[in-house]
Amino acid sequence: MTDNKNSDDYGFETRAVRAGYTRTAEGEHGEAIFPTSSYVFASAAEAAARFSGESPGNIYSRFTNPTVRAFEQRLAALEDAECCVATATGMAAITATFFGLLKTGDHIVSSRSIFGTTTVLLNNFVAKLGISTSFVELSDLAAWEKAITPQTKLLFLETPSNPLTELVDIAALAKIAHQHGCLLAVDNCFCTPALQLPLALGADIVIHSATKYIDGQGRCMGGAVCGSKAIVGEGVFGFLRSAGPSLSPFNAWVFLKGLETLSIRMKAHCENSLAIARWLEQQPVVERVYYPGLESHPQHELAKRQQSGFGGIVAFELKGGKTEGWKLIDATQMISITANLGDTRSTITHPATTTHGRLTPEQRQDAGISDGLIRLAVGLEDIEDIKRDLSRGM
Ligand SMILES: *Cc1c(COP(=O)(O)O)cnc(C)c1O
């Protein structure tokens, strides 16, 4: 757990490159990695003072490591958060949020359109502790308010949603949450702080899978929770310290490097995605394109207001259904057939038979996942090569 005390008045790009690192006595320019499980104390009295919390300092790398701390500080500086706790994976960040902040009898209202594993976590594991969840339509503010009960403690969502890029008005939902004494948690994985700052819009907690755009090159697993010291520094950090889904210092170092190029990478992902989305709209075999940057997107105005860029995920529906969808995917020669995203490499999936394959046909229809839907996570390759690869199977 790390408090953010260095963002001062530097701009976003400067904080991304420089925040959160204290040079050691060696005078190194690049950040050091500290692969150590424990730390040595000068005396028995100092050990006692550290353990009691009287004197600050490193104790044990499950919850104090200088490289992990540097990553936490840098991300906190970018999210404009008082505090950040890094975790082993994105799912560990979500688990630490639920288990660190909630107790038996509490109730969660969650968007229906969230990462599949988060749904499984809520329904199969969080539920076992007597913490129930109601799922609502992401953009429907009235449905959120209606689902809140006196037991509701937390509202949870991702925006834009995956794969249909639906949005919710974070500021409006934060107001509703606070009127009912609930916390609002936003999984900001798709936008990253380079495109969207949920805390500034009124959210209480920001969650990340650092595995995606923060790494940016598909190498390491990691996650983080950002928010106030009172919420994240107590409950979430307390859970991490005791349960132990901690980030490795090696991965923290990779993410530190990832944050340094986050802003320029996200700009490039956005630029490529908009170009691909516009091009897809022109293709006769394409029925519909889902991308918040398109004027045809029903929430384009909200996206312009709430985000500083439209992100790297483009979904599109083919007229031909599953047959045409699989044909397009199988005809690609460059784009990777994988469900991961946030990589320099473009990836393509058929949600109906992969990420959403466990849903019944009715559930899929409710979620808007048609058989002809393709999800593209647009990478940083030459835009003409991406178009050419997609055209092969059209
Ligand atoms: C991938 C992902 C997660 C889970 O992160 P892991 O690092 O894979 O555990 C959570 N939320 C969203 C939106 C994701 O895309």
Side-chain angles (χ1 to χ4, degrees), residues 274 278 281 291-301 304:
L274 185 59
R278 291 227 162 100
E281 272 193 324
Y291 186 64
L294 293 174
E295 289 74 16
S296 61
H297 190 287
Q299 294 168 298
H300 179 59
E301 289 305 315
K304 279 205 289 192

Side-chain angles (χ1 to χ4, degrees), residues 89-91 94 115 158 187 189-190 209 211-212 221-222:
T89 63
M91 287 319 302
I94 297 171
F115 189 60
E158 295 165 18
D187 181 336
C189 170
F190 286 161
S209 166
T211 315
K212 313 290 168 55
M221 305 287 301

